């Protein structure tokens, strides 16, 4: 077994092991993490995942083992008295360096043979297979955004194409490559509810601005919703983190409060939009053809308070 270590704070031995093998004739990769009681090392709980080599989408696993026998089901929740209701139930026995047995998938039973491997299923096998395929081209002011999708996760994102300089493409396309790869990997890891979309806010001679919207649930108590904006300065070849980089002399909270604060607005009062400045410390912002949209940032439970406010370029020039 690899990664064997003792947790000093709890009486548990934890180990993990990767396997390759087949469900019936279909090749899979299989990874489990086991916690065994130090007082009863023959028993314990199991978590992990597996994926079909042709799909690469992680299917979460949870179960128990007793001596060399493993009972593992798909999903995030395991209940010993109801595991038969699961869509997939693995019954495996450890024989030397193998797990052998069967899996019942929607009442059909398949033979399973898995062999230990030192290969990391994710880093060594899955991620190198991710492939980006060209879909279409959008044109903005004689500049091309080339849209691609990743083959296995179907995650989409664009790259800068014709109309941008070679230097601009050399700087910004690797940023887009990394973002696209991250989205693809997370989408394959999640295998639940993972939706990402993109809004192109501005493509001009000076800037490219877009927003990535996400709605994600990968287990846990609550789903996660939100948006992240990216603003590329084509002249300085930088990804702008702060709007103050472009307008260093403007107090944006003060300016927004002067324009939008309404003490009679229940939404504003409940969310403390303009009465608690810290809500704007990590604001989201993006450029548009007419001006700048700015959105306050809130803790997860208060994301409904995240509403965008607009300032025109004329207003900003007046305050500079």
């Amino acid at each position: 077994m690899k990664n064997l270590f003792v947790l000093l704070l709890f009486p548990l031995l934890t180990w993990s092991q990767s396997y390759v093998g087949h469900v019936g004739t279909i090749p899979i990769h299989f990874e489990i993490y086991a916690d065994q009681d130090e007082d009863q090392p023959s028993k314990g709980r199991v978590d992990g995942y597996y994926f079909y080599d042709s799909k690469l989408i992680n299917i979460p696993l949870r179960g128990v083992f007793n001596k060399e026998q493993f009972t593992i089901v798909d999903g995030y929740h395991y209940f010993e008295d109801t595991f038969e209701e699961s869509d997939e139930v693995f019954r495996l026995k450890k024989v030397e360096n193998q797990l052998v047995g069967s899996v019942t998938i929607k009442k059909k039973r398949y033979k399973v043979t898995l062999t230990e491997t030192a290969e990391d299923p994710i880093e060594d096998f899955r991620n190198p297979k991710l492939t980006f395929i060209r879909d279409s081209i959008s044109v903005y002011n004689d500049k091309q955004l080339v849209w691609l999708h990743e083959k296995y996760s179907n995650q989409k994102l664009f790259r800068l194409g014709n109309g941008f300089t070679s230097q601009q493409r050399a700087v910004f396309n690797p940023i887009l490559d990394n973002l696209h790869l991250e989205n693809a990997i997370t989408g394959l890891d999640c295998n639940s509810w993972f939706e990402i979309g993109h809004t192109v806010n501005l493509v001009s001679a000076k800037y490219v601005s877009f927003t990535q919207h996400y709605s994600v649930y990968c287990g846990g108590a609550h789903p996660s919703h939100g948006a992240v904006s990216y603003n590329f300065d084509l002249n300085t070849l930088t990804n702008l983190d702060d709007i103050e980089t472009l307008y260093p002399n403007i107090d944006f909270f003060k300016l927004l409060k002067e324009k939008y604060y309404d003490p009679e607005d229940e939404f504003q009062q409940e969310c403390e939009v303009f009465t608690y400045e810290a809500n704007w410390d990590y604001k989201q912002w993006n450029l548009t053809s007419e001006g700048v949209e700015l959105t306050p940032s809130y803790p997860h439970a208060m994301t409904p308070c995240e509403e965008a406010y607009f300032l025109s370029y004329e207003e900003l020039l007046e305050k500079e």
Side-chain angles (χ1 to χ4, degrees), residues 244-259:
E244 286 80 6
T245 302
L246 297 178
Y247 299 96
N249 299 319
I250 293 181
D251 183 332
F252 281 91
F253 177 74
K254 180 180 178 182
L255 183 55
L256 288 164
K257 185 173 182 177
E258 289 174 354
K259 180 175 181 179

Side-chain angles (χ1 to χ4, degrees), residues 29-260:
H29 278 69
F30 191 95
E31 175 99 2
I32 55 173
Y33 315 93
D35 292 324
Q36 57 191 107
D37 193 315
E38 198 172 37
D39 296 327
Q40 290 184 296
S42 64
K43 294 183 178 180
R45 304 193 69 83
V46 174
D47 289 283
Y49 64 87
Y50 82 99
F51 58 78
Y52 293 96
D53 292 3
S54 61
K55 301 292 186 182
L56 306 186
I57 300 172
N58 282 13
I59 300 171
L61 298 170
R62 179 159 289 184
V64 295
F65 66 90
N66 187 349
K67 296 183 179 179
E68 302 298 313
Q69 302 288 338
F70 291 78
T71 303
I72 305 172
V73 303
D74 69 306
Y76 293 100
H77 305 289
Y78 176 85
F79 302 98
E80 293 183 39
D81 57 343
T82 60
F83 72 85
E84 294 285 358
E85 299 174 10
S86 299
D87 288 338
E88 303 182 20
V89 182
F90 287 87
R91 294 178 179 85
L92 304 171
K93 181 179 181 180
K94 182 167 178 56
V95 181
E96 297 181 347
N97 70 332
Q98 290 188 317
L99 293 178
V100 295
S102 66
V103 59
T104 302
I105 303 177
K106 295 182 178 179
K107 299 183 179 181
K108 290 187 177 181
R109 189 176 180 183
Y110 302 89
K111 180 180 177 181
V112 176
T113 303
L114 304 170
T115 303
E116 291 181 9
T117 177
E119 177 184 60
D120 185 296
I122 300 298
E123 297 299 330
D124 297 332
F125 181 83
R126 190 194 71 181
N127 288 355
K129 285 184 171 292
L130 302 188
T131 304
F132 297 94
I133 300 170
R134 179 168 168 167
D135 289 331
S136 62
I137 295 174
S138 301
V139 180
Y140 301 83
N141 300 316
D142 298 323
K143 296 182 182 296
Q144 293 184 352
L145 300 185
V146 181
W147 291 88
L148 303 94
H149 77 274
E150 195 285 311
K151 177 180 178 180
Y152 296 95
S153 66
N154 202 36
Q155 292 298 316
K156 299 176 175 62
L157 191 58
F158 63 83
R159 306 294 190 275
L160 306 188
N162 292 339
F164 296 93
T165 68
S166 59
Q167 193 173 18
Q168 289 166 349
R169 294 196 298 270
V171 170
F172 294 116
N173 279 347
I175 296 174
L176 296 166
D177 289 342
N178 289 335
L179 177 60
H180 201 171
L181 179 61
E182 179 183 327
N183 291 345
I185 289 172
T186 307
L188 292 172
D189 286 344
C190 185
N191 184 29
S192 184
W193 171 18
F194 189 84
E195 297 179 358
I196 286 183
H198 299 89
T199 301
V200 177
N201 305 309
L202 176 66
V203 179
S204 70
K206 293 183 178 181
Y207 305 107
V208 171
S209 176
F210 70 98
T211 300
Q212 177 169 285
H213 308 272
Y214 60 87
S215 182
V216 177
Y217 179 74
C218 300
H222 303 285
S224 179
H225 310 279
V228 180
S229 292
Y230 297 83
N231 299 278
F232 297 162
D233 188 322
L234 299 176
N235 291 330
T236 63
L237 300 177
T238 55
N239 180 18
L240 300 171
D241 292 324
D242 304 308
I243 184 62
E244 286 80 6
T245 302
L246 297 178
Y247 299 96
N249 299 319
I250 293 181
D251 183 332
F252 281 91
F253 177 74
K254 180 180 178 182
L255 183 55
L256 288 164
K257 185 173 182 177
E258 289 174 354
K259 180 175 181 179
Y260 289 104

